[in-house]
Amino acid sequence: MRSVTFDASSRRWLLRTPGTSYVVALADDDAPRCLHWGPALTAEQAASLPGPAAFGASSFDSTAGEEELVSEVGARFETPSLQVVLPGGDRGIEWRHDGHEIDGGHLTLRFSDRRHPLLVELHYRVHDDSDAIERWTVLRPQVPVTVLRCDSAAWSVPALDGYRLSHVTGGWSSEHALSRTELPVGETALTSRRGLSSHHANPWLMIDGGDAGERHGEVWSCALAWSGSWRVTLTRTTSGRASWTGGFGHEGLTWRLEPGEEWVTPVFAGVYAPDGYGEASRRWHDHVARHVLPRPDEPRPVVYNAWEAVGFDVNEANQRDLARLAARVGAELFVMDDAWFGGRTGDSAGLGDWWVNDERFPDGLSPLIDEVHRLGMRFGLWVEPEMVNPDSDLYRANPDWVLHMPGRSRTLLRNQLVLNFARPDVADWAHKWLHKLVSEHAVDFLKWDFNRAFTEAGRPGDPDQDRLWIDHVRAVYSIMDRLRADHPHLRIEACAGGGGRTDLGILARTDQVWTSDNTDAHDRIAIQRGFSQVYPARAMAAWVTDSPNPLTGRAVPLRFRFHVAMAGALGLGGDLARWSEAELSEAAELVAVYKDIRPVVQFGRLWRLPYGVQYVHGDRVVVLAWHGPVAFGTPIAPLRLAGLDPDGRYRDEDTGTVHHGAVLMSRGLPPLTPGGGYTSTLLRLRAC
C-alpha cells in the first residue's frame, strides 16, 4: 500500500499512516482544503468524500473553511496562516496550483500567486511506523515580500457536538499543568513571546468533542517542533466548526524576504487517535522515539547532579567526595553544575568566561574527570552558552554581542543578558569554545541551560532585525548538530530554568530535557502527567533530591521520591554527604531496581492510571502508584490496569503471585492504604 496517492479526476491526495488517513483536495479556486482527518480510508472511500464546499450563509460570513493554509484573499475571516505584503500593497495569496510531487511518504503541493511571482509549497510527510502527519510550509519569493505571519500549517477537525481544548500552562517550577476546557466560540490564542517554548505554555494541543477520556473517544492533536517564540490560534465559529493555525514567531514581528530566498517553517505535526488521550499520547511517544530523538534506543543513564548539594561552592575536593557517593548508590553519569568556570562564585558574575577556574581546580578538570571515569561513571558539565553577565570579561570586550536596542535600557534578569546567536560571529564563538571544551576535557555530557527570556530583542543596524527571533534558535540547533556530529559520544540535556525549552525541535537534538527545577515528588506527579501527554518517559529527566525539599519545604519519604522519579529517566540531585547510611543503602537498592525496570519504563508503552502510571514492554509490566495525604476515611479505588492480554496470566516478580489479565483490568489491584502520609508502591509483573 502506497502511503501517498493522487486521484487526478477529483484533484485530491490521500495520505495514509498505519492507523489513520488524511485527505487533501483542491477547491474550485485551487485553495487546498482538508476533506478528512481521522480513521483509515481506502482509496475508493476517499474518492467518495464530498468535495470542498463554501460555508458562507450571508455576505458577512466566510465562504471558505477547512483550508490547509488560510490566506487573506477573498471572504476569509478566520485567523490567516499566511500574511504577506507584496509589491504595490497586495496582501495574502490568490492560489494557483502548479503541480505536486510524491516521494515515498513525502508529498509536496506547489502553488503560486495569480498576480505576483511568489511560490508557496505545502509539505506533508508520513511514515509507515508512525501515525503522525508532519507538515511545513516553504516560501520562495521572486520579488521583495514582507512577511507578517507564515505558519507551518492549518488544521481542521470534523463538525462535533462540542469542542474541548487540552493544553498545558504553568510557570517556573510549575510547568506542564494540564488544562482541559471547552473551546469558546471565537479565537483562542496559545503563544510564547519569550524567545523559547516557555514554562507558561507548550506548543501542543489536543481537541476532542468533550466526551473523550484516557481510554475512549476521538482526539485530534498537534505539536510544533520549535524552541523559540510560537503561536497557535484556534477558531470556533458560530456555525459549529473548529480549526487552528500555528507556527513560529509571535504577533508584531515582521520579516523581509528578498528575491531568491527560501523561507522554511518548522514542522507542525498532527496525530489522530480513536481511543482517547492515552492512545494519542502513545502515538506521540512512538513518533518521538522513531522520528525525533537522535538516540532513541539508548538507555538513559542514572544521573547524579551536584547542584543541590553545593550550589556555587564548587571545588575539586567536594566534587570528588560527591562522585564517590554517587558511584556508591549506582549513578552512571556524574554532572558538575554551575561555577566551575571563570570568576563565577554566584549568579552575578563570570557567565560567558568559559575557562576553568584555576583556584577551584588548580590542576584543571582532568583529575576530577579521571576520578569520575575510574569510578565507572561518565562525566558531564553544566553550560549556559546563550547568556552573559555584564560583570564578565566577555561582555566588557563585546558589549554589542547581546540583544539590545540603542535607545532602551538593557534589562537584567537573573543578572544576565542574552547573547545574540543570530550574529554569525557570536554563534561561531560559542561553537568554538564548546567544541574545545568537549575535545580537551573528555566531556561525555552537557546540560545546556537557558535562564532568562528575550528582552530588548534588537540588533542595531540590521534592517530586518526581527529575524533574530528565528535565526537565534536556528543557530542553537546548528551548534548542537555540529557538536553531535563532531563528538558522536556526546549526549546533551536541554534545560531552560527547568522545563522552559521542551518541544519536538529541541528533542531532535538532545537526549532528554530537564522537566522542572521543582524536584518535590508531590508536585512532580502533576508536572510529569502533563509532560507525558506528548513527550515520552525516556526524555523526562526526574531527580530524587533531599527531604525537606529545598524549594517547597515538603518532607516526603525516600521511597516515595524514588517511585515518582522512576517514572522517567531517573536521576539524583540531593546532598548525598548529608544522607544517612540507611538512606544511602536504600537509595542503592532502589537504583538497582530502577536499572531492572528501566527498559520497561523508557521503552515501554504508557498507560496513565488514576493515581499512577503503567508501562508495558514485551512480556513485562511495571506499575508505579502513589498517594499523598488524604482525610481519614477517604475511599481509594482499586487500581485497574490497562493494555494487558485479558486471557493472559501475569506473575508478580517479587512475590510470585499470579494474576489474570482480565481481573487486573476489571477488578484491579487492592488500593493503596494512605495512612495519613505519602504512600507509594512499585509492582513488577511478567507474563507467564
Side-chain angles (χ1 to χ4, degrees):
M1 180 185 73
R2 294 184 64 192
S3 54
V4 182
T5 57
F6 174 59
D7 179 39
S9 63
S10 60
R11 299 205 305 170
R12 63 184 61 179
W13 294 264
L14 169 63
L15 296 92
R16 287 183 278 205
T17 73
T20 72
S21 290
Y22 194 92
V23 180
V24 185
L26 298 181
D28 292 342
D29 62 356
D30 277 4
R33 304 270 194 91
C34 174
L35 299 187
H36 174 83
W37 179 22
L41 298 178
T42 66
E44 181 180 3
Q45 291 165 339
S48 71
L49 291 169
F55 293 102
S58 75
S59 60
F60 298 97
D61 291 333
S62 176
T63 59
E66 300 173 333
E67 293 195 326
E68 296 291 89
L69 204 70
V70 183
S71 177
E72 293 182 285
V73 176
R76 292 172 169 88
F77 306 118
E78 295 80 16
T79 301
S81 312
L82 182 61
Q83 291 179 288
V84 294
V85 182
L86 294 150
D90 285 354
R91 296 174 67 103
I93 183 169
E94 230 177 321
W95 298 100
R96 179 174 64 196
H97 180 56
D98 294 334
H100 75 274
E101 181 180 348
I102 298 173
D103 181 8
H106 183 183
L107 168 66
T108 304
L109 300 182
R110 293 191 293 271
F111 299 89
S112 60
D113 182 73
R114 293 185 182 276
R115 289 171 48 87
H116 299 276
L118 170 64
L119 307 180
V120 181
E121 291 179 353
L122 304 186
H123 289 259
Y124 303 75
R125 185 168 55 214
V126 292
H127 306 275
D128 60 7
D129 60 352
S130 166
D131 279 310
I133 301 167
E134 298 174 310
R135 296 178 56 191
W136 67 98
T137 297
V138 177
L139 298 186
R140 291 194 177 91
Q142 306 306 308
V143 292
V145 174
T146 299
V147 180
L148 287 76
R149 180 167 185 159
C150 182
D151 283 351
S152 299
W155 299 85
S156 305
V157 295
L160 304 171
D161 291 337
Y163 297 97
R164 179 168 50 187
L165 167 65
S166 298
H167 64 114
V168 290
T169 62
W172 174 76
S173 284
S174 59
E175 302 91 330
H176 306 292
L178 184 60
S179 171
R180 290 200 164 109
T181 58
E182 181 182 0
L183 180 67
V185 172
E187 293 185 354
T188 300
L190 309 176
T191 188
S192 167
R193 301 169 182 264
R194 291 171 167 84
L196 71 168
S197 38
S198 93
H199 307 75
H200 307 78
N202 199 265
W204 68 261
L205 64 92
M206 294 182 182
I207 290 287
D208 72 279
D211 55 353
E214 272 294 309
R215 305 179 193 178
H216 68 274
E218 292 183 294
V219 177
W220 293 263
S221 57
C222 282
L224 182 68
W226 185 246
S227 309
S229 288
W230 57 273
R231 60 187 163 190
V232 176
T233 308
L234 300 98
T235 301
R236 181 177 179 179
T237 68
T238 54
S239 61
R241 313 292 301 199
S243 61
W244 61 90
T245 181
F248 57 11
H250 60 260
E251 299 297 329
L253 302 181
T254 61
W255 307 287
R256 178 82 171 174
L257 301 186
E258 299 300 330
E261 280 196 78
E262 180 179 78
W263 188 251
V264 183
T265 70
V267 166
F268 195 18
V271 163
Y272 163 79
D275 299 319
Y277 303 124
E279 181 59 24
S281 295
R282 288 185 287 276
R283 292 185 177 195
W284 278 116
H285 299 168
D286 289 344
H287 177 70
V288 172
R290 294 165 183 166
H291 300 286
V292 178
L293 289 170
R295 297 275 183 169
D297 299 327
E298 184 175 277
R300 274 47 179 172
V302 176
V303 176
Y304 176 76
N305 184 291
W307 170 252
E308 291 197 7
V310 298
F312 291 104
D313 295 325
V314 173
N315 59 58
E316 183 176 332
N318 65 32
Q319 297 299 289
R320 280 177 173 267
D321 291 343
L322 289 167
R324 284 191 286 270
L325 290 169
R328 174 180 167 183
V329 298
E332 299 160 313
L333 168 63
F334 180 87
V335 178
M336 181 164 61
D337 213 277
D338 203 345
W340 56 267
F341 55 90
R344 186 78 162 168
T345 57
D347 66 11
S348 62
L351 196 58
D353 298 339
W354 297 102
W355 57 83
V356 179
N357 183 305
D358 57 9
E359 293 183 4
R360 299 183 172 203
F361 299 91
D363 299 313
L365 295 182
S366 293
L368 174 62
I369 296 173
D370 291 345
E371 174 67 4
V372 168
H373 288 162
R374 186 192 69 79
L375 291 166
M377 297 181 292
R378 285 179 272 175
F379 180 79
L381 280 175
W382 177 94
V383 294
E384 193 171 6
E386 300 160 74
M387 302 292 164
V388 65
N389 289 130
D391 186 3
S392 67
D393 292 348
L394 179 71
Y395 184 80
R396 284 184 282 271
N398 303 282
D400 60 332
W401 276 18
V402 300
L403 301 181
H404 69 284
M405 296 178 179
R408 300 291 179 225
S409 300
R410 301 185 182 190
T411 300
L412 285 179
L413 298 174
R414 202 175 182 260
N415 299 306
Q416 59 194 51
L417 299 168
V418 182
L419 291 167
N420 184 2
F421 273 33
R423 289 181 50 148
D425 55 343
V426 179
D428 182 62
W429 161 84
H431 174 260
K432 284 179 177 176
W433 75 256
L434 285 162
H435 175 69
K436 181 179 179 182
L437 178 72
V438 176
S439 299
E440 295 183 357
H441 293 96
V443 173
D444 303 301
F445 179 94
L446 292 176
K447 180 169 184 171
W448 184 307
D449 210 343
F450 183 100
N451 271 311
R452 80 184 301 283
F454 283 16
T455 59
E456 294 84 46
R459 182 182 175 186
D462 188 335
D464 194 16
Q465 63 180 347
D466 281 353
R467 281 201 185 206
L468 68 85
W469 292 86
I470 308 299
D471 291 345
H472 181 103
V473 178
R474 287 174 170 165
V476 171
Y477 288 169
S478 176
I479 293 169
M480 288 182 173
D481 291 344
R482 291 173 66 187
L483 285 173
R484 295 192 76 113
D486 292 340
H487 307 280
H489 73 285
L490 181 67
R491 301 294 176 262
I492 303 175
E493 177 178 282
C495 178
R501 195 184 251 171
T502 303
D503 55 81
L504 299 184
I506 206 69
L507 281 176
R509 293 156 176 91
T510 60
D511 302 279
Q512 59 196 49
V513 294
W514 178 224
T515 316
S516 177
D517 281 348
N518 186 348
T519 59
D520 182 309
H522 177 270
D523 289 356
R524 271 294 185 115
I525 293 171
I527 291 171
Q528 293 177 185
R529 195 172 188 87
F531 182 98
S532 74
Q533 300 296 313
V534 170
Y535 309 114
R538 74 193 79 181
M540 183 176 72
W543 289 1
V544 177
T545 60
D546 294 334
S547 182
N549 183 269
L551 177 69
T552 67
R554 183 180 284 115
V556 176
L558 184 64
R559 188 166 296 268
F560 187 97
R561 284 176 271 153
F562 262 95
H563 285 162
V564 172
M566 283 177 169
L570 177 67
L572 298 97
D575 186 359
L576 297 182
R578 295 179 179 269
W579 288 22
S580 69
E581 283 297 316
E583 288 174 317
L584 292 172
S585 297
E586 185 178 8
E589 293 173 3
L590 290 165
V591 168
V593 170
Y594 177 76
K595 290 176 181 178
D596 173 67
I597 66 171
R598 174 165 50 189
V600 187
V601 172
Q602 294 191 8
F603 306 132
R605 307 205 80 204
L606 166 71
W607 273 262
R608 287 183 291 266
L609 306 177
Y611 50 93
V613 292
Q614 172 194 325
Y615 297 96
V616 179
H617 183 59
D619 65 347
R620 298 192 72 192
V621 180
V622 169
V623 177
L624 292 155
W626 40 71
H627 250 305
V630 296
F632 177 79
T634 300
I636 298 177
L639 202 60
R640 297 169 62 184
L641 305 192
L644 306 180
D645 177 2
D647 298 323
R649 298 184 179 202
Y650 296 85
R651 183 183 302 277
D652 187 318
E653 296 183 22
D654 295 299
T655 68
T657 303
V658 175
H659 301 271
H660 291 270
V663 175
L664 288 172
M665 292 190 291
S666 60
R667 186 173 182 83
L669 296 166
L672 294 180
T673 303
Y678 292 91
T679 306
S680 63
T681 190
L682 163 63
L683 181 68
R684 294 182 281 187
L685 302 173
R686 188 181 295 269
C688 59

